[in-house]
Structure formats: C-alpha cells, structure tokens
Amino acid sequence: MKEYLILDGYNIINAWKELKELANESLEISRQKLAEIMVEHASYNGIKVIIVFDAYLVKGSRSVFEEYENLEIVYTKENQTADSYIEKLISQMNKRDIIKVATNDWAEQQIILGKGAIRISARELKLEVDFAKTKISKKTLQKKTKKNTLHSLIDEETLSKLEKIRRNR
C-alpha cells in the first residue's frame, strides 16, 4: 500500500502567503519553491507527491511530466484543468492506496471525497509541512549536538570490559 499526496499547484501557491508573494515576482520561482518544499516533505514522510499545474489557457500546450525520486510535477495540456486531471488520476489509482488531495476548491473537494480520496485544505497541508520541518530541524540539531564518544557508541558491558583491560596494563 502506497501513500500519495496530490496538489493543485496553483491553488496551493495562491493559498500560502510566502509562495503567493514569490509568484508576484516570478511564477517560475514560486513553482520551484513549492517543489523544493514538497520534495523534503515527501522524503520525510515516505510518500509520493504529485503537483499538478494547469495550462488550461496556454495555447498549444501539451502535457508535460517532470519526475524525481518521490515527486512528480505535471503541467496539463491546453483546455485541461488541474481539477479534471486530478479527478482522472484518482480514478486510475489503486483504491487500496492512501490518496490525499490538497486543494481549497470546495467543488473539487466534494468530487475527491466521492472518488474515495482524502481531501485536505491548503492550510492543513501547510500545518503538516511546517510540523515535518520542525521534526527535521530537531533531528538535525540532535545529530549535530550528539558527541560520538565511546560511551555513546557501545553498550555498558563492553565498556566495562574495556575499562578493566585498560586498568590492568
């Protein structure tokens, strides 16, 4: 059983303050930042993340897929919304897998639920991402502050035997 998190990319960008501010400067940079955030989130949680950006109004656009270890980025083709792509994708996925979809679109949330997926809002996703970042930071800090001494690497019994050997010299 696998776990998937599918994002309506532009919906998330417009819902998260820092990404929306970046998008005002450069939409490309905002998309890259979202991808970076989600790669870290996917790695930490052991899930596959799929970000869908629609190219609904982009003339002549074709579906484009970018795939990384645990992240897939999809740009839909012309006249295809992210919502319709996500609905079709969910229908094709294994029903035994855990499928979460992050969007603030109320109508889309209802369709997602009807197809058996779990819906989460952009705000809930942000909370999950921030929680994971905090956990990652704590682990990193613990690794940095933990000293690699003999005491931290071997058990007490072995340490006691080594101490006896040292004293008998």
Side-chain angles (χ1 to χ4, degrees):
M1 188 165 66
K2 293 182 177 179
E3 185 173 339
Y4 295 90
L5 174 60
I6 305 168
L7 280 65
D8 181 335
Y10 291 127
N11 193 282
I12 300 302
I13 286 173
N14 287 314
W16 290 5
K17 185 181 175 189
E18 71 273 12
L19 293 179
K20 190 171 187 174
E21 288 172 0
L22 274 176
N24 290 334
E25 310 260 331
S26 167
L27 195 53
E28 179 62 27
I29 292 173
S30 184
R31 287 191 297 252
Q32 287 174 348
K33 182 66 176 173
L34 177 60
E36 289 170 13
I37 291 167
M38 296 318 298
V39 162
E40 183 178 61
H41 184 71
S43 294
Y44 179 76
N45 289 298
I47 61 173
K48 172 87 176 206
V49 174
I50 303 168
I51 304 174
V52 181
F53 293 107
D54 66 36
Y56 180 74
L57 298 174
V58 179
K59 292 279 185 211
S61 66
R62 289 184 248 147
S63 288
V64 177
F65 301 91
E66 295 175 13
E67 198 155 352
Y68 306 95
E69 186 175 334
N70 52 8
L71 175 72
E72 187 177 315
I73 300 174
V74 177
Y75 296 90
T76 66
K77 60 188 175 188
E78 181 182 2
N79 295 324
Q80 183 181 29
T81 63
D83 294 350
S84 66
Y85 182 90
I86 291 168
E87 291 165 24
K88 185 177 176 183
L89 180 62
I90 292 170
S91 297
Q92 296 170 346
M93 296 176 91
N94 188 334
K95 299 299 179 204
R96 294 182 210 181
D97 291 335
I98 298 168
I99 305 165
K100 289 183 180 180
V101 180
T103 182
N104 277 346
D105 184 325
W106 177 252
E108 184 63 12
Q109 288 178 351
Q110 299 312 303
I111 292 167
I112 290 161
L113 290 170
K115 293 192 178 282
I118 301 164
R119 65 113 190 124
I120 62 172
S121 69
R123 182 179 174 277
E124 290 169 316
L125 178 61
K126 180 75 170 125
L127 292 172
E128 280 185 18
V129 165
D130 289 346
F131 180 75
K133 278 185 179 181
T134 302
K135 290 283 202 182
I136 291 167
S137 294
K138 283 182 181 177
K139 272 188 173 180
T140 305
L141 186 62
Q142 285 174 347
K143 285 182 180 179
K144 284 181 181 177
T145 58
K146 185 178 177 182
K147 295 179 182 176
N148 286 331
T149 63
L150 196 54
H151 292 284
S152 66
L153 298 173
I154 60 175
D155 62 90
E156 287 296 319
E157 184 181 337
T158 306
L159 191 60
S160 176
K161 288 177 183 176
L162 287 171
E163 181 62 24
K164 284 181 184 177
I165 293 170
R166 186 186 72 79
R167 288 184 182 196
N168 289 334
R169 282 187 166 185

